[in-house]
Amino acid sequence: YFSGKDVHDRLFAALSETAAIPAGWKLVPIEPTPKMVNVAIDAFYETPGMADVIRAVIAAAPEIGHV
């Protein structure tokens, strides 16, 4: 019997070993974290374009396994 966290950890380890992320790409959460939302709000008022907002949100996304 495996606990939910144990299953998560085992799946994460297996996927981390097999999934390659191409250079210049980043995996992001399906739902934005509170930090990502706050960065989006700030960037919306501080940057000239939507592309800058998106870049800021992607940069604020947590690294894999650090959610």
Side-chain angles (χ1 to χ4, degrees), residues 24-42:
W25 289 70
K26 181 176 182 178
L27 296 178
V28 297
I30 292 171
E31 292 294 324
T33 64
K35 179 181 178 182
M36 293 169 70
V37 172
N38 289 333
V39 165
I41 292 167
D42 291 344

